[in-house]
Amino acid sequence: MAEGAMTPGSGWRPRAVALDVDGTLVTYEDAYTSPRPAVVDAVGRVRASGAHVVVATGRSLHSTSKILDWLGISDGYAVCSNGAVVVDAASRRPVEITTFDASDPVRYFAEEIPDAVLAVEELGAGYRVTGEFPVGELDGRMTVVSHDELLEGPVTRLVVRWPNGDRERLRELARTSGLPSVDYAIGFTAWLDIMPVGVSKASGLMTVAGLLGFTANETLAVGDGHNDVEMLAWAGLGVAMGQSPDDVKAAADTVCDDVDEDGVATLLDLYFRP
């Protein structure tokens, strides 16, 4: 389906809506509070129409569960941990988990930036961390461990946070690492997610699409960050939030208003009118 055929008023209505969380459903300042009423109401109208709403986020399973509760989503699936975990929204149990050997990345970043802190998600509970993360960036139970202990268990993604570091320097270290088995997504701070090869929000959505029976061309996806780029490119209509970096906007088909203006609510109401 051509992009023009997906504009409001064309008669096209997505069968699935994939929504990033931070910077899309909630502001970064309000990260661990409920989305604002306009957003919750708009998502409710999408669900009432019979379309699937798929939360697709870098957040952990336990953090994503709160978002599902706030949105009233108790069926279907959600994509967590940037695609490494696909969870059943009813049971809140994973239906697909992708792990990888993070030994080389842990050693590499521990040597190159020893003042960085690393984290590995403990599904449904919290994180194993090598040190203290800035307040509000992770939630759940934090268990401080050594670098070796960090690897004692399955790794869905490795988080590298450099509180006093430079984002561009971290990007360069990632690019020149030579590590063959990881993909990188740099956030708005000196933060790095190291993922299994080929895993992204898009790959998670492909799994959900197979389970629920919709296609990429039937999907509207909305996000604001570099970890949304693959998802925006995969969806029939990819929409970047207004405050997104320029390269994220370039990967999208169109741009909506900023998260501070409830841009996702305005967008959804163009296709699912109140």
Side-chain angles (χ1 to χ4, degrees):
M1 187 183 295
E3 178 190 337
M6 297 177 178
T7 56
S10 66
W12 179 80
R13 174 180 278 188
R15 289 189 58 215
V17 175
L19 299 171
D20 168 51
V21 173
D22 297 291
T24 299
L25 292 176
V26 297
T27 67
Y28 288 98
E29 292 77 14
D30 299 328
Y32 293 107
T33 61
S34 172
R36 290 189 288 208
V39 173
V40 175
D41 290 347
V43 171
R45 285 189 285 274
V46 176
R47 297 185 65 244
S49 77
H52 303 291
V53 174
V54 184
V55 171
T57 178
R59 291 192 182 203
S60 61
L61 188 160
H62 64 277
S63 183
T64 303
S65 291
K66 297 176 184 177
I67 296 294
L68 297 178
D69 289 339
W70 285 329
L71 296 175
I73 297 175
S74 58
D75 58 2
Y77 301 90
V79 175
C80 310
S81 302
N82 285 326
V85 179
V86 176
V87 62
D88 182 291
S91 67
R92 307 295 166 89
R93 295 181 181 276
V95 298
E96 181 175 274
I97 302 172
T98 306
T99 62
F100 72 112
D101 181 358
S103 302
D104 287 347
V106 166
R107 282 193 291 267
Y108 175 77
F109 287 105
E111 292 173 0
E112 292 291 332
I113 41 176
D115 56 331
V117 286
L118 311 182
V120 168
E121 180 182 353
E122 293 189 312
L123 283 176
Y127 294 87
R128 300 191 301 277
V129 298
T130 61
E132 184 176 349
F133 271 66
V135 175
E137 290 192 350
L138 296 177
D139 70 339
R141 183 185 68 219
M142 303 295 149
T143 305
V144 179
V145 299
S146 68
H147 287 88
D148 288 339
E149 291 170 329
L150 195 70
L151 300 167
E152 293 179 353
V155 178
T156 54
R157 66 168 171 165
L158 173 68
V159 177
V160 181
R161 181 67 167 95
W162 196 7
N164 299 313
D166 175 75
R167 180 178 62 178
E168 293 306 316
R169 174 59 179 156
L170 185 57
R171 187 190 296 268
E172 179 64 19
L173 285 169
R175 186 165 50 243
T176 60
S177 69
L179 296 168
S181 60
V182 294
D183 290 340
Y184 303 96
I186 302 282
F188 68 101
T189 58
W191 174 297
L192 180 68
D193 277 349
I194 302 173
M195 307 294 301
V197 163
V199 169
S200 67
K201 291 184 183 183
S203 67
L205 282 172
M206 290 177 199
T207 296
V208 175
L211 291 168
L212 294 178
F214 62 84
T215 67
N217 276 344
E218 295 173 314
T219 304
L220 166 65
V222 193
D224 78 306
H226 293 106
N227 61 339
D228 295 309
V229 166
E230 294 89 348
M231 174 177 77
L232 299 180
W234 176 82
L237 185 63
V239 182
M241 298 298 293
Q243 80 283 353
S244 302
D246 288 342
D247 52 346
V248 175
K249 291 179 180 178
D253 298 303
T254 189
V255 178
C256 69
D257 291 338
D258 289 10
V259 64
D260 290 322
E261 301 169 331
D262 295 335
V264 70
T266 303
L267 170 72
L268 294 178
D269 282 346
L270 294 175
Y271 294 92
F272 303 89
R273 294 189 181 280

